[in-house]
Amino acid sequence: MFRFSKKKLNRAIHYLELGVLGLFLIYFFKGSSDSKTDYLKLDVTKSSRTIKPLTKNNSPTFSWTKCQQNISAANITGFSSLPERVQDFLYYRHCRHFPMLLDLPDKCGGPEKSADVFLLLVIKSSPVNYDRREVLRKTWAKERLENGVWIRRLFISGTMDSGYEKERLNKLLEMEQREYNDILQWDFNESFYNLTLKQILFLEWMERNCPNARFLLNGDDDVFANTENMVLYLQSLEDNDGSKHLFIGNLNINMEPIRTPGSKYFVPVQLHESNVFPPYCSGGGFLLSGYTALVIYNMSQSITLLPIDDAYMGMCLGKAGLHPSSHIGVKAAGLDISSIRIDTHDPCLYKDLLLVHKFPPSHMYLLWQRIHDPSLTCDYKEKL
Ligand SMILES: *[C@@H]1O[C@H](CO)[C@@H](O)[C@H](O)[C@H]1NC(C)=O
Ligand SMILES: *[C@@H]1O[C@H](CO)[C@@H](O)[C@H](O)[C@H]1NC(C)=O
Ligand SMILES: *[C@@H]1O[C@H](CO)[C@@H](O)[C@H](O)[C@H]1NC(C)=O
Ligand SMILES: *[C@@H]1O[C@H](CO)[C@@H](O)[C@H](O)[C@H]1NC(C)=O
Ligand SMILES: *[C@@H]1O[C@H](CO)[C@@H](O)[C@H](O)[C@H]1NC(C)=O
């Protein structure tokens, strides 16, 4: 997600980048996570709903029909020469609905009240990243009233591994949920190629449970986001009720799909024929309005999934005739500091930014504390 080309990387030291997005879902799920037979299908995206009642017991549990692999995908030209993970993606590309393991339907106070949420932090996190979530809860992602408006936090997650290991990690998220109420989890396998799916599942959830949230920060769990600055920035906009288009971050223009099979970002022609992506913001962190989030969700309904989640957001925006924009305060690639005289951890470098990639939890904690140190004085302009 943090791919960027050098020609586009701004030299200036004040740049940061952010970016990430999400989607959401409509399936109700209850009960143990691994039993596939105890589910029933509830497809609310189609006009005809399929709800098969349970026979095993009388609990109001919905069961789930597992999305089947599309074996015809193997007929795609050149399929057999594609890396296994691309083949796997093609087999399951049509699957857009997965049962929820952890849900928070009242996170925004219900659809009506959701307008009270000014900034919803939607952070992609995989189950193992406990330490990252912990530090974010204590620092920039703290839920709070900031300059008179509410910041709320959600981690969005899939599952990992299988068997006991999967159960153990699910249990961890369940425990965290009990304490913090900040996790949405779906029963799909976490992987880089499944990030687009995660984003769509979130947007689906948002349309249902939090449609009037004003703005969203969509990002990774290893970025440093200056949420105080974000609130000030968003409040300063002329249209600051989230009902107008807004999509800002680290803008990538004329990015070409990477055709090298060994790359993490490999996109063969079978996944994206065109040799260029529409403009998009790097997925490490980006800011968008509630309006734009719902437009993206609408557009996604008719756009085949691409495994590069941020580029996919760009495709959805493009289809809606909307443009992503760059913001000087977003540095998805981290600060480009070439001078060895500068301490790259100097809090003054980060104080005025919106978002920077990417920090280990301990640095995140320290930086947040230092930025808020009342005795901090910055004359960084002279240093640069
Ligand atoms: C794949 O293509 C072969 C030959 O064209 C055809 O016989 C077969 O039915 C196709 N398989 C699927 C699952 O579409
Ligand atoms: C399955 O894959 C084939 C080949 O790509 C495609 O034509 C078909 O639409 C896919 N089916 C579904 C349900 O996505
Ligand atoms: C998810 O990944 C695990 C291996 O990590 C695998 O055993 C399991 O079959 C996968 N599940 C699905 C639904 O693809
Ligand atoms: C995405 O998740 C689904 C459901 O768990 C899984 O079957 C599939 O293998 C995953 N895809 C990738 C590319 O990891
Ligand atoms: C999304 O689509 C629905 C149904 O087509 C429509 O009612 C709604 O206004 C659309 N939302 C946005 C933000 O475009």
Side-chain angles (χ1 to χ4, degrees), residues 362-373:
S362 59
H363 292 201
M364 199 91 85
Y365 178 73
L366 188 59
L367 185 56
W368 185 256
Q369 303 304 331
R370 290 178 77 189
I371 283 179
H372 292 92
D373 180 351

Side-chain angles (χ1 to χ4, degrees), residues 25-36:
L25 86 97
I26 295 193
Y27 289 89
F28 299 93
F29 173 81
K30 203 180 155 199
S32 68
S33 54
D34 273 329
S35 159
K36 279 150 197 152

Side-chain angles (χ1 to χ4, degrees), residues 130 133 137 172-180:
Y130 172 73
R133 289 189 294 277
R137 287 171 177 133
L172 169 67
L173 290 190
E174 205 181 305
M175 293 313 214
E176 290 180 55
Q177 183 81 321
R178 242 179 251 181
E179 191 170 347
Y180 301 109

Side-chain angles (χ1 to χ4, degrees), residues 262-315:
S263 166
K264 175 185 177 186
Y265 305 97
F266 178 48
V267 176
V269 288
Q270 290 90 342
L271 293 180
H272 190 76
E273 219 168 338
S274 164
N275 282 326
V276 67
F277 286 132
Y280 67 93
C281 292
S282 304
F286 49 83
L287 275 171
L288 70 166
S289 64
Y291 166 79
T292 298
L294 294 179
V295 170
I296 289 173
Y297 178 58
N298 275 3
M299 293 302 126
S300 74
Q301 306 292 321
S302 55
I303 304 180
T304 305
L305 294 195
L306 175 85
I308 310 297
D309 65 331
D310 45 12
Y312 185 79
M313 295 296 128
M315 289 162 68

Side-chain angles (χ1 to χ4, degrees), residues 60-75:
T61 305
F62 296 106
S63 87
W64 175 264
T65 306
K66 203 182 156 207
C67 179
Q68 296 300 313
Q69 116 177 353
N70 176 6
I71 48 168
S72 303
N75 276 4

Side-chain angles (χ1 to χ4, degrees), residues 6 9-15 331 336-338:
K6 292 205 177 78
L9 183 64
N10 258 309
R11 279 285 144 124
I13 202 153
H14 308 270
Y15 298 169
K331 312 243 173 215
D336 181 22
I337 297 170
S338 43

Side-chain angles (χ1 to χ4, degrees), residues 104-116:
L104 291 166
D106 294 325
K107 183 70 192 182
C108 300
E112 300 301 316
K113 293 281 294 274
S114 62
D116 292 347

